[in-house]
Amino acid sequence: MNVYEEYKSYGMQVVAFPCSQFLDQEVKTDEEVIDFARNKMGAEFPLMQRCNVNGEEAHPVFKMLRKQTECFHNKQTGKIRNIPWNFTKFIVDSTGKVVMYQNPRESLYRR
């Protein structure tokens, strides 16, 4: 059982944002991405349209997430680092505050 399945009854929500900024891994159309996620991977959560997560054209959600996350936002210099790789996870509370960041090498699935 994954964390989403385990906690969705408590109000947890997963939202996926496909992105092609990481070695052009997500080159399919939005419809193909959704079809793959739903039918091949069993995703039950919302899937957004493909967007940028880094740079000037980053989706506003990711600008906000990176600014709120200490490992991305250097408060002394004001500089904000890029998200390093696909499958980055931000855990956000019901008020929109980032409470945890998981790098792509960590899984949301329990073993």
Side-chain angles (χ1 to χ4, degrees):
M1 175 180 292
N2 65 47
V3 171
Y4 174 66
E5 290 169 343
E6 186 174 343
Y7 291 102
K8 68 183 175 183
S9 65
Y10 296 99
M12 178 183 175
Q13 185 59 267
V14 171
V15 181
F17 289 80
C19 178
S20 291
Q21 289 188 300
F22 306 100
L23 297 176
D24 287 327
Q25 286 188 324
E26 201 57 77
V27 296
K28 299 175 178 129
T29 67
D30 289 333
E31 293 79 18
E32 290 171 318
V33 170
I34 290 169
D35 181 62
F36 177 80
R38 297 256 186 265
N39 297 318
K40 302 282 192 239
M41 303 303 293
E44 300 173 3
F45 44 80
L47 293 148
M48 302 291 116
Q49 291 182 340
R50 185 180 17 227
C51 68
N52 288 336
V53 300
N54 292 320
E56 292 295 319
E57 300 296 318
H59 191 285
V61 167
F62 286 93
K63 288 181 179 181
M64 179 271 301
L65 292 171
R66 289 175 22 226
K67 189 169 186 174
Q68 283 191 34
T69 308
E70 195 172 293
C71 65
F72 291 109
H73 183 218
N74 183 324
K75 291 182 181 179
Q76 292 177 334
T77 66
K79 291 187 178 186
I80 299 175
R81 291 185 328 111
N82 283 339
I83 293 171
W85 193 244
N86 254 344
F87 304 107
T88 291
K89 301 157 194 86
F90 293 90
I91 312 303
V92 181
D93 69 14
S94 62
T95 68
K97 180 182 175 194
V98 174
V99 294
M100 190 169 84
Y101 160 76
Q102 287 187 305
N103 75 43
R105 293 187 177 105
E106 295 175 9
S107 176
L108 282 178
Y109 290 87
R110 296 196 190 280
R111 298 184 193 267

PDB file of all heavy atoms in Angstrom, residues 2-27:
ATOM      1  N   ASN A   2       0.532   2.231  -0.843  1.00  0.00           N
ATOM      2  CA  ASN A   2       1.327   3.457  -0.836  1.00  0.00           C
ATOM      3  C   ASN A   2       0.739   4.463   0.153  1.00  0.00           C
ATOM      4  O   ASN A   2      -0.361   4.284   0.672  1.00  0.00           O
ATOM      5  CB  ASN A   2       1.453   4.044  -2.242  1.00  0.00           C
ATOM      6  CG  ASN A   2       0.141   4.521  -2.825  1.00  0.00           C
ATOM      7  OD1 ASN A   2      -0.622   5.208  -2.171  1.00  0.00           O
ATOM      8  ND2 ASN A   2      -0.117   4.162  -4.067  1.00  0.00           N
ATOM      9  N   VAL A   3       1.487   5.514   0.420  1.00  0.00           N
ATOM     10  CA  VAL A   3       1.095   6.497   1.426  1.00  0.00           C
ATOM     11  C   VAL A   3      -0.223   7.162   1.045  1.00  0.00           C
ATOM     12  O   VAL A   3      -1.074   7.398   1.897  1.00  0.00           O
ATOM     13  CB  VAL A   3       2.214   7.540   1.632  1.00  0.00           C
ATOM     14  CG1 VAL A   3       1.754   8.682   2.499  1.00  0.00           C
ATOM     15  CG2 VAL A   3       3.429   6.871   2.242  1.00  0.00           C
ATOM     16  N   TYR A   4      -0.432   7.461  -0.237  1.00  0.00           N
ATOM     17  CA  TYR A   4      -1.682   8.085  -0.661  1.00  0.00           C
ATOM     18  C   TYR A   4      -2.874   7.194  -0.324  1.00  0.00           C
ATOM     19  O   TYR A   4      -3.855   7.646   0.250  1.00  0.00           O
ATOM     20  CB  TYR A   4      -1.653   8.401  -2.151  1.00  0.00           C
ATOM     21  CG  TYR A   4      -2.971   8.925  -2.675  1.00  0.00           C
ATOM     22  CD1 TYR A   4      -3.455  10.158  -2.247  1.00  0.00           C
ATOM     23  CD2 TYR A   4      -3.739   8.186  -3.560  1.00  0.00           C
ATOM     24  CE1 TYR A   4      -4.669  10.634  -2.697  1.00  0.00           C
ATOM     25  CE2 TYR A   4      -4.950   8.659  -4.020  1.00  0.00           C
ATOM     26  CZ  TYR A   4      -5.412   9.891  -3.584  1.00  0.00           C
ATOM     27  OH  TYR A   4      -6.618  10.365  -4.035  1.00  0.00           O
ATOM     28  N   GLU A   5      -2.788   5.918  -0.677  1.00  0.00           N
ATOM     29  CA  GLU A   5      -3.886   4.992  -0.373  1.00  0.00           C
ATOM     30  C   GLU A   5      -4.115   4.881   1.133  1.00  0.00           C
ATOM     31  O   GLU A   5      -5.238   4.786   1.599  1.00  0.00           O
ATOM     32  CB  GLU A   5      -3.598   3.614  -0.967  1.00  0.00           C
ATOM     33  CG  GLU A   5      -3.667   3.595  -2.477  1.00  0.00           C
ATOM     34  CD  GLU A   5      -3.130   2.305  -3.074  1.00  0.00           C
ATOM     35  OE1 GLU A   5      -2.416   1.558  -2.354  1.00  0.00           O
ATOM     36  OE2 GLU A   5      -3.401   2.067  -4.248  1.00  0.00           O
ATOM     37  N   GLU A   6      -3.030   4.908   1.873  1.00  0.00           N
ATOM     38  CA  GLU A   6      -3.124   4.750   3.321  1.00  0.00           C
ATOM     39  C   GLU A   6      -3.769   5.958   4.000  1.00  0.00           C
ATOM     40  O   GLU A   6      -4.524   5.813   4.960  1.00  0.00           O
ATOM     41  CB  GLU A   6      -1.732   4.524   3.900  1.00  0.00           C
ATOM     42  CG  GLU A   6      -1.706   4.200   5.365  1.00  0.00           C
ATOM     43  CD  GLU A   6      -0.312   3.845   5.859  1.00  0.00           C
ATOM     44  OE1 GLU A   6       0.576   3.547   5.036  1.00  0.00           O
ATOM     45  OE2 GLU A   6      -0.125   3.849   7.080  1.00  0.00           O
ATOM     46  N   TYR A   7      -3.499   7.156   3.503  1.00  0.00           N
ATOM     47  CA  TYR A   7      -3.929   8.370   4.197  1.00  0.00           C
ATOM     48  C   TYR A   7      -5.004   9.187   3.493  1.00  0.00           C
ATOM     49  O   TYR A   7      -5.458  10.195   4.035  1.00  0.00           O
ATOM     50  CB  TYR A   7      -2.720   9.266   4.485  1.00  0.00           C
ATOM     51  CG  TYR A   7      -1.802   8.682   5.518  1.00  0.00           C
ATOM     52  CD1 TYR A   7      -0.611   8.066   5.147  1.00  0.00           C
ATOM     53  CD2 TYR A   7      -2.139   8.720   6.867  1.00  0.00           C
ATOM     54  CE1 TYR A   7       0.223   7.501   6.097  1.00  0.00           C
ATOM     55  CE2 TYR A   7      -1.311   8.168   7.828  1.00  0.00           C
ATOM     56  CZ  TYR A   7      -0.129   7.561   7.437  1.00  0.00           C
ATOM     57  OH  TYR A   7       0.692   7.017   8.386  1.00  0.00           O
ATOM     58  N   LYS A   8      -5.462   8.792   2.314  1.00  0.00           N
ATOM     59  CA  LYS A   8      -6.461   9.605   1.614  1.00  0.00           C
ATOM     60  C   LYS A   8      -7.753   9.742   2.411  1.00  0.00           C
ATOM     61  O   LYS A   8      -8.423  10.770   2.328  1.00  0.00           O
ATOM     62  CB  LYS A   8      -6.710   9.091   0.205  1.00  0.00           C
ATOM     63  CG  LYS A   8      -7.389   7.753   0.101  1.00  0.00           C
ATOM     64  CD  LYS A   8      -7.512   7.340  -1.357  1.00  0.00           C
ATOM     65  CE  LYS A   8      -8.080   5.937  -1.460  1.00  0.00           C
ATOM     66  NZ  LYS A   8      -8.129   5.509  -2.862  1.00  0.00           N
ATOM     67  N   SER A   9      -8.093   8.765   3.211  1.00  0.00           N
ATOM     68  CA  SER A   9      -9.315   8.864   4.021  1.00  0.00           C
ATOM     69  C   SER A   9      -9.183   9.932   5.115  1.00  0.00           C
ATOM     70  O   SER A   9     -10.182  10.367   5.684  1.00  0.00           O
ATOM     71  CB  SER A   9      -9.664   7.516   4.644  1.00  0.00           C
ATOM     72  OG  SER A   9      -8.677   7.125   5.571  1.00  0.00           O
ATOM     73  N   TYR A  10      -7.955  10.378   5.392  1.00  0.00           N
ATOM     74  CA  TYR A  10      -7.715  11.440   6.367  1.00  0.00           C
ATOM     75  C   TYR A  10      -7.641  12.815   5.706  1.00  0.00           C
ATOM     76  O   TYR A  10      -7.350  13.807   6.362  1.00  0.00           O
ATOM     77  CB  TYR A  10      -6.410  11.191   7.133  1.00  0.00           C
ATOM     78  CG  TYR A  10      -6.444   9.941   7.973  1.00  0.00           C
ATOM     79  CD1 TYR A  10      -5.868   8.771   7.508  1.00  0.00           C
ATOM     80  CD2 TYR A  10      -7.061   9.937   9.221  1.00  0.00           C
ATOM     81  CE1 TYR A  10      -5.897   7.612   8.277  1.00  0.00           C
ATOM     82  CE2 TYR A  10      -7.094   8.786   9.999  1.00  0.00           C
ATOM     83  CZ  TYR A  10      -6.510   7.626   9.514  1.00  0.00           C
ATOM     84  OH  TYR A  10      -6.543   6.489  10.272  1.00  0.00           O
ATOM     85  N   GLY A  11      -7.859  12.856   4.394  1.00  0.00           N
ATOM     86  CA  GLY A  11      -7.832  14.130   3.684  1.00  0.00           C
ATOM     87  C   GLY A  11      -6.557  14.404   2.924  1.00  0.00           C
ATOM     88  O   GLY A  11      -6.408  15.464   2.329  1.00  0.00           O
ATOM     89  N   MET A  12      -5.609  13.473   2.927  1.00  0.00           N
ATOM     90  CA  MET A  12      -4.371  13.681   2.175  1.00  0.00           C
ATOM     91  C   MET A  12      -4.692  13.697   0.683  1.00  0.00           C
ATOM     92  O   MET A  12      -5.519  12.936   0.200  1.00  0.00           O
ATOM     93  CB  MET A  12      -3.380  12.560   2.440  1.00  0.00           C
ATOM     94  CG  MET A  12      -2.106  12.709   1.654  1.00  0.00           C
ATOM     95  SD  MET A  12      -1.016  11.308   1.941  1.00  0.00           S
ATOM     96  CE  MET A  12       0.276  11.678   0.799  1.00  0.00           C
ATOM     97  N   GLN A  13      -4.031  14.578  -0.043  1.00  0.00           N
ATOM     98  CA  GLN A  13      -4.214  14.667  -1.483  1.00  0.00           C
ATOM     99  C   GLN A  13      -2.854  14.692  -2.162  1.00  0.00           C
ATOM    100  O   GLN A  13      -1.934  15.338  -1.690  1.00  0.00           O
ATOM    101  CB  GLN A  13      -4.992  15.931  -1.846  1.00  0.00           C
ATOM    102  CG  GLN A  13      -5.346  16.053  -3.301  1.00  0.00           C
ATOM    103  CD  GLN A  13      -6.191  14.898  -3.796  1.00  0.00           C
ATOM    104  OE1 GLN A  13      -5.670  13.923  -4.313  1.00  0.00           O
ATOM    105  NE2 GLN A  13      -7.495  14.994  -3.625  1.00  0.00           N
ATOM    106  N   VAL A  14      -2.741  13.980  -3.253  1.00  0.00           N
ATOM    107  CA  VAL A  14      -1.556  14.002  -4.098  1.00  0.00           C
ATOM    108  C   VAL A  14      -1.955  14.712  -5.377  1.00  0.00           C
ATOM    109  O   VAL A  14      -3.037  14.474  -5.913  1.00  0.00           O
ATOM    110  CB  VAL A  14      -1.068  12.567  -4.426  1.00  0.00           C
ATOM    111  CG1 VAL A  14       0.025  12.589  -5.478  1.00  0.00           C
ATOM    112  CG2 VAL A  14      -0.603  11.864  -3.165  1.00  0.00           C
ATOM    113  N   VAL A  15      -1.097  15.607  -5.853  1.00  0.00           N
ATOM    114  CA  VAL A  15      -1.314  16.283  -7.126  1.00  0.00           C
ATOM    115  C   VAL A  15      -0.026  16.133  -7.923  1.00  0.00           C
ATOM    116  O   VAL A  15       1.049  16.471  -7.437  1.00  0.00           O
ATOM    117  CB  VAL A  15      -1.658  17.774  -6.935  1.00  0.00           C
ATOM    118  CG1 VAL A  15      -1.890  18.445  -8.272  1.00  0.00           C
ATOM    119  CG2 VAL A  15      -2.862  17.949  -6.019  1.00  0.00           C
ATOM    120  N   ALA A  16      -0.127  15.605  -9.135  1.00  0.00           N
ATOM    121  CA  ALA A  16       1.048  15.377  -9.977  1.00  0.00           C
ATOM    122  C   ALA A  16       1.131  16.442 -11.065  1.00  0.00           C
ATOM    123  O   ALA A  16       0.131  16.787 -11.684  1.00  0.00           O
ATOM    124  CB  ALA A  16       0.981  13.991 -10.604  1.00  0.00           C
ATOM    125  N   PHE A  17       2.344  16.946 -11.279  1.00  0.00           N
ATOM    126  CA  PHE A  17       2.619  17.939 -12.310  1.00  0.00           C
ATOM    127  C   PHE A  17       3.676  17.362 -13.253  1.00  0.00           C
ATOM    128  O   PHE A  17       4.868  17.427 -12.954  1.00  0.00           O
ATOM    129  CB  PHE A  17       3.173  19.225 -11.694  1.00  0.00           C
ATOM    130  CG  PHE A  17       2.188  20.035 -10.905  1.00  0.00           C
ATOM    131  CD1 PHE A  17       1.863  19.689  -9.603  1.00  0.00           C
ATOM    132  CD2 PHE A  17       1.592  21.152 -11.461  1.00  0.00           C
ATOM    133  CE1 PHE A  17       0.971  20.446  -8.860  1.00  0.00           C
ATOM    134  CE2 PHE A  17       0.693  21.923 -10.730  1.00  0.00           C
ATOM    135  CZ  PHE A  17       0.378  21.561  -9.423  1.00  0.00           C
ATOM    136  N   PRO A  18       3.290  16.786 -14.389  1.00  0.00           N
ATOM    137  CA  PRO A  18       4.294  16.282 -15.340  1.00  0.00           C
ATOM    138  C   PRO A  18       5.181  17.428 -15.831  1.00  0.00           C
ATOM    139  O   PRO A  18       4.730  18.569 -15.966  1.00  0.00           O
ATOM    140  CB  PRO A  18       3.454  15.724 -16.492  1.00  0.00           C
ATOM    141  CG  PRO A  18       2.097  15.507 -15.913  1.00  0.00           C
ATOM    142  CD  PRO A  18       1.930  16.542 -14.845  1.00  0.00           C
ATOM    143  N   CYS A  19       6.453  17.107 -16.091  1.00  0.00           N
ATOM    144  CA  CYS A  19       7.414  18.127 -16.489  1.00  0.00           C
ATOM    145  C   CYS A  19       8.429  17.524 -17.454  1.00  0.00           C
ATOM    146  O   CYS A  19       8.858  16.396 -17.284  1.00  0.00           O
ATOM    147  CB  CYS A  19       8.118  18.658 -15.248  1.00  0.00           C
ATOM    148  SG  CYS A  19       9.379  19.888 -15.600  1.00  0.00           S
ATOM    149  N   SER A  20       8.829  18.314 -18.466  1.00  0.00           N
ATOM    150  CA  SER A  20       9.830  17.847 -19.436  1.00  0.00           C
ATOM    151  C   SER A  20      11.179  18.516 -19.234  1.00  0.00           C
ATOM    152  O   SER A  20      12.029  18.484 -20.119  1.00  0.00           O
ATOM    153  CB  SER A  20       9.343  18.122 -20.869  1.00  0.00           C
ATOM    154  OG  SER A  20       8.254  17.299 -21.180  1.00  0.00           O
ATOM    155  N   GLN A  21      11.416  19.130 -18.100  1.00  0.00           N
ATOM    156  CA  GLN A  21      12.674  19.835 -17.869  1.00  0.00           C
ATOM    157  C   GLN A  21      13.808  18.913 -17.430  1.00  0.00           C
ATOM    158  O   GLN A  21      14.910  19.379 -17.200  1.00  0.00           O
ATOM    159  CB  GLN A  21      12.478  20.933 -16.815  1.00  0.00           C
ATOM    160  CG  GLN A  21      11.665  22.092 -17.336  1.00  0.00           C
ATOM    161  CD  GLN A  21      11.643  23.239 -16.360  1.00  0.00           C
ATOM    162  OE1 GLN A  21      11.194  23.096 -15.230  1.00  0.00           O
ATOM    163  NE2 GLN A  21      12.137  24.377 -16.807  1.00  0.00           N
ATOM    164  N   PHE A  22      13.556  17.639 -17.317  1.00  0.00           N
ATOM    165  CA  PHE A  22      14.564  16.711 -16.839  1.00  0.00           C
ATOM    166  C   PHE A  22      14.855  15.688 -17.925  1.00  0.00           C
ATOM    167  O   PHE A  22      14.197  14.649 -18.013  1.00  0.00           O
ATOM    168  CB  PHE A  22      14.089  16.033 -15.543  1.00  0.00           C
ATOM    169  CG  PHE A  22      13.696  17.037 -14.491  1.00  0.00           C
ATOM    170  CD1 PHE A  22      12.370  17.339 -14.278  1.00  0.00           C
ATOM    171  CD2 PHE A  22      14.660  17.692 -13.751  1.00  0.00           C
ATOM    172  CE1 PHE A  22      11.999  18.279 -13.323  1.00  0.00           C
ATOM    173  CE2 PHE A  22      14.308  18.634 -12.799  1.00  0.00           C
ATOM    174  CZ  PHE A  22      12.972  18.926 -12.585  1.00  0.00           C
ATOM    175  N   LEU A  23      15.799  16.003 -18.777  1.00  0.00           N
ATOM    176  CA  LEU A  23      16.204  15.146 -19.896  1.00  0.00           C
ATOM    177  C   LEU A  23      15.035  14.807 -20.824  1.00  0.00           C
ATOM    178  O   LEU A  23      15.002  13.741 -21.433  1.00  0.00           O
ATOM    179  CB  LEU A  23      16.866  13.857 -19.389  1.00  0.00           C
ATOM    180  CG  LEU A  23      18.164  14.032 -18.617  1.00  0.00           C
ATOM    181  CD1 LEU A  23      18.655  12.687 -18.101  1.00  0.00           C
ATOM    182  CD2 LEU A  23      19.216  14.707 -19.471  1.00  0.00           C
ATOM    183  N   ASP A  24      14.074  15.718 -20.925  1.00  0.00           N
ATOM    184  CA  ASP A  24      12.912  15.523 -21.804  1.00  0.00           C
ATOM    185  C   ASP A  24      12.243  14.174 -21.600  1.00  0.00           C
ATOM    186  O   ASP A  24      11.811  13.529 -22.550  1.00  0.00           O
ATOM    187  CB  ASP A  24      13.308  15.693 -23.278  1.00  0.00           C
ATOM    188  CG  ASP A  24      13.562  17.133 -23.638  1.00  0.00           C
ATOM    189  OD1 ASP A  24      12.897  18.010 -23.058  1.00  0.00           O
ATOM    190  OD2 ASP A  24      14.424  17.389 -24.493  1.00  0.00           O
ATOM    191  N   GLN A  25      12.141  13.734 -20.357  1.00  0.00           N
ATOM    192  CA  GLN A  25      11.537  12.440 -20.069  1.00  0.00           C
ATOM    193  C   GLN A  25      10.035  12.425 -20.314  1.00  0.00           C
ATOM    194  O   GLN A  25       9.468  11.385 -20.583  1.00  0.00           O
ATOM    195  CB  GLN A  25      11.808  12.031 -18.624  1.00  0.00           C
ATOM    196  CG  GLN A  25      13.218  11.601 -18.398  1.00  0.00           C
ATOM    197  CD  GLN A  25      13.393  11.020 -17.014  1.00  0.00           C
ATOM    198  OE1 GLN A  25      12.776  11.468 -16.069  1.00  0.00           O
ATOM    199  NE2 GLN A  25      14.227  10.017 -16.911  1.00  0.00           N
ATOM    200  N   GLU A  26       9.388  13.560 -20.194  1.00  0.00           N
ATOM    201  CA  GLU A  26       7.932  13.591 -20.333  1.00  0.00           C
ATOM    202  C   GLU A  26       7.571  14.257 -21.653  1.00  0.00           C
ATOM    203  O   GLU A  26       7.147  15.387 -21.708  1.00  0.00           O
ATOM    204  CB  GLU A  26       7.321  14.363 -19.161  1.00  0.00           C
ATOM    205  CG  GLU A  26       5.879  14.067 -18.919  1.00  0.00           C
ATOM    206  CD  GLU A  26       5.637  12.601 -18.678  1.00  0.00           C
ATOM    207  OE1 GLU A  26       5.928  12.124 -17.585  1.00  0.00           O
ATOM    208  OE2 GLU A  26       5.149  11.920 -19.600  1.00  0.00           O
ATOM    209  N   VAL A  27       7.776  13.533 -22.745  1.00  0.00           N
ATOM    210  CA  VAL A  27       7.559  14.102 -24.077  1.00  0.00           C
ATOM    211  C   VAL A  27       6.189  13.764 -24.649  1.00  0.00           C
ATOM    212  O   VAL A  27       5.852  14.191 -25.743  1.00  0.00           O
ATOM    213  CB  VAL A  27       8.669  13.655 -25.068  1.00  0.00           C
ATOM    214  CG1 VAL A  27      10.016  14.197 -24.630  1.00  0.00           C
ATOM    215  CG2 VAL A  27       8.710  12.137 -25.182  1.00  0.00           C
TER     216      VAL A  27
END
